[in-house]
Amino acid sequence: MTDSSRQSTRQSWNPEGYAQHARFVPELGDEVLALLAPKAGERILDLGCGDGVLTERIVKRGADVVGIDTSQEMVDAAQARGINARMMDAYQMPFDREFDAVFSNATLHWLLDPQAVLASIKRALKPGGRFVTEFGGHGNVAAICTALIGALQFRGISARGRHPWYFPTADDYRHLLETAGFKVDSIELIPRPTPLPTGMSGWIDTFATPFLHGLEEDLRNSVIDNTQMLLSHSLRDSQGNWTADYVRLRVCAHV
């Protein structure tokens, strides 16, 4: 990741931890994969391929897939699955009219300059190529963000610069797509409450470390405990099971 003003540089990724705490991400990819509808022989770019679990499913459809990610650890994990994966910045992709489709799942909310990303994606697509993505949309993890910010502010810690995500409305993102030269086939916000296999603490450790950047361990643990207390009445059931308040933006567009 090359520019801290454009992406969240304080988030690190661990393939083993991701598989443990976030296995729901590729498991819930069926609908956006169906929207992509990959065909044998197509050349497809997976932007933010992670450990390659979902990418592998595209490959099995017979497509020629290139995966890119900014985490070397994730790229290594994808390569271990046999994926053609490369460490690459989404803002500076070298591709020029090479792909029938660009696919991205659970990635674009980490990229804070969406106009530049869309320009890079458009350059990578062949004329008539399609762009299919699903990522966090307006209202995504709103309760979790509010609780984290509240727990920080309670201790006199500013949350300024700690919120790491871009969660657009459908109208806002449609405007960006059309400005970049895409024709929008479908775009919708989809509320998707998502059970967390290892609870809220596992989710925070996996996805929300930018909120806790630079905090000593005792203070960090205290903020996490307070966040969970604030969320327990709304996102934890009587059996102790946690659910994240996800809202996804699902898009299909073409050039």
Side-chain angles (χ1 to χ4, degrees):
M1 297 184 183
T2 60
D3 187 335
S4 61
S5 69
R6 299 168 105 191
Q7 2 197 151
S8 305
T9 59
R10 295 170 179 172
Q11 179 66 35
S12 60
W13 301 104
N14 174 273
E16 292 77 19
Y18 193 85
Q20 178 186 4
H21 301 298
R23 61 179 180 268
F24 58 86
V25 175
E27 287 176 355
L28 295 174
D30 286 341
E31 292 187 21
V32 68
L33 193 58
L35 191 62
L36 175 66
K39 301 177 181 63
E42 284 191 317
R43 185 164 167 80
I44 296 176
L45 175 67
D46 186 357
L47 193 165
C49 65
D51 60 6
V53 172
L54 195 54
T55 321
E56 193 173 38
R57 291 163 62 184
I58 303 173
V59 172
K60 288 180 178 178
R61 304 285 184 91
D64 174 17
V65 184
V66 175
I68 67 167
D69 204 281
T70 54
S71 165
Q72 185 63 59
E73 292 80 7
M74 287 298 210
V75 167
D76 291 344
Q79 289 175 342
R81 293 180 180 275
I83 304 298
N84 177 8
R86 311 171 190 177
M87 186 174 174
M88 189 179 295
D89 188 323
Y91 296 109
Q92 300 176 4
M93 297 189 296
F95 309 118
D96 185 12
R97 299 186 178 191
E98 293 185 34
F99 294 96
D100 298 290
V102 173
F103 174 77
S104 184
N105 183 54
T107 295
L108 296 187
H109 49 256
W110 292 101
L111 304 179
L112 304 183
D113 187 348
Q115 288 179 309
V117 173
L118 288 174
S120 190
I121 290 169
K122 185 172 183 290
R123 283 194 303 272
L125 284 167
K126 298 176 182 177
R130 63 198 188 279
F131 170 45
V132 175
T133 184
E134 183 178 296
F135 61 101
H138 185 66
N140 190 59
V141 295
I144 299 174
C145 290
T146 300
L148 279 163
I149 291 168
L152 289 166
Q153 291 180 338
F154 179 74
R155 289 160 179 80
I157 303 167
S158 173
R160 185 177 180 86
R162 292 182 179 271
H163 189 291
W165 300 305
Y166 162 69
F167 295 144
T169 67
D171 286 344
D172 285 345
Y173 203 67
R174 177 189 290 273
H175 176 71
L176 288 179
L177 285 161
E178 290 174 346
T179 300
F182 287 89
K183 296 178 177 62
V184 179
D185 301 306
S186 62
I187 184 168
E188 59 179 331
L189 279 175
I190 304 168
R192 194 195 71 196
T194 301
L196 301 179
T198 57
M200 186 56 62
S201 62
W203 188 92
I204 291 172
D205 284 342
T206 304
F207 294 110
T209 54
F211 284 98
L212 308 170
H213 179 74
L215 304 185
E216 294 186 1
E217 185 176 0
D218 287 349
L219 181 55
R220 175 190 175 103
N221 291 338
S222 180
V223 169
I224 292 173
D225 288 346
N226 194 199
T227 298
Q228 292 188 100
M229 182 191 71
L230 291 169
L231 291 170
S232 61
H233 299 291
S234 57
L235 299 184
R236 187 176 66 187
D237 66 18
S238 58
Q239 284 75 48
N241 301 307
W242 286 92
T243 298
D245 54 327
Y246 273 27
V247 179
R248 313 313 276 175
L249 185 65
R250 187 178 299 160
V251 178
C252 182
H254 67 277
V255 295

